[in-house]
Amino acid sequence: MDFELLLFSIKTQEEYGYFLKGILEKNLKVDFTFKHSEDDISLCFQCMTISLDLEEIFGLDVIEEDFNFKANLSARIQVFSKFYSDALDIIFRVIKEITMKSDCNLLLLGNGSNVIIKKDNGKFYSSELKDYYYFEFPFEILEADIARS
């Protein structure tokens, strides 16, 4: 299963990678391997991999057009199906930490076209998510009111 966590922030893509690394190490204290090359940053877990392309981010204009969301940072997340529950727990805990540490807007997409969660101007939104009937997202981790769209 694929996800994409998009933000609009003053950070660079590389700073975003280190920001995520800091959240995972200091706040969530989860085990992962951090790899940084000149082309990308990868955070590898038993349950998923988070990748940030440092060269070029594709599709941000499509995101803005299709989802009315302006982003300049993107992290692609590959969840291993056997561990989706563990991965989603970490993803939502990361989102909570991001929203606590900054007021930036964010968007979590599933499989490229489903809005899982969107934070825009301080408010959270989620889609009906009919394609995900076989599991539930841990929205309660965010401890926020979430409007359904």
Side-chain angles (χ1 to χ4, degrees), residues 68-83:
N68 194 27
F69 185 85
K70 185 164 179 64
N72 62 348
L73 302 174
S74 172
R76 299 207 184 266
I77 304 168
Q78 174 69 45
V79 173
F80 310 134
S81 60
K82 184 176 171 182
F83 302 104

Side-chain angles (χ1 to χ4, degrees), residues 27-45:
N27 301 82
L28 304 186
K29 297 178 176 38
V30 295
D31 292 326
F32 66 97
T33 303
F34 182 80
K35 298 177 183 177
H36 183 186
S37 72
E38 68 180 51
D39 297 332
D40 65 1
I41 289 177
S42 296
L43 301 111
C44 305
F45 306 76

Side-chain angles (χ1 to χ4, degrees), residues 22-112:
I23 287 173
L24 293 162
E25 285 177 339
K26 296 174 187 148
N27 301 82
L28 304 186
K29 297 178 176 38
V30 295
D31 292 326
F32 66 97
T33 303
F34 182 80
K35 298 177 183 177
H36 183 186
S37 72
E38 68 180 51
D39 297 332
D40 65 1
I41 289 177
S42 296
L43 301 111
C44 305
F45 306 76
Q46 179 183 3
C47 58
M48 69 180 162
T49 299
I50 300 174
S51 304
L52 296 95
D53 190 336
L54 301 178
E55 292 293 306
E56 188 171 350
I57 306 171
F58 296 104
L60 293 182
D61 53 339
V62 173
I63 297 294
E64 184 172 6
E65 191 174 302
D66 290 353
F67 299 100
N68 194 27
F69 185 85
K70 185 164 179 64
N72 62 348
L73 302 174
S74 172
R76 299 207 184 266
I77 304 168
Q78 174 69 45
V79 173
F80 310 134
S81 60
K82 184 176 171 182
F83 302 104
Y84 73 84
S85 182
D86 296 333
L88 290 174
D89 181 72
I90 293 170
I91 293 167
F92 274 77
R93 289 170 49 208
V94 165
I95 290 171
K96 181 179 179 183
E97 290 296 322
I98 289 171
T99 59
M100 289 172 46
K101 294 182 180 319
S102 73
D103 62 351
C104 67
N105 292 330
L106 65 82
L107 177 66
L108 178 65
L109 294 177
N111 293 328

Side-chain angles (χ1 to χ4, degrees), residues 110-134:
N111 293 328
S113 63
N114 293 306
V115 175
I116 308 300
I117 194 81
K118 179 178 182 179
K119 180 182 172 238
D120 193 18
N121 296 318
K123 295 182 182 179
F124 285 96
Y125 304 92
S126 177
S127 297
E128 287 298 318
L129 306 171
K130 292 180 179 113
D131 294 342
Y132 295 98
Y133 61 90
Y134 49 90

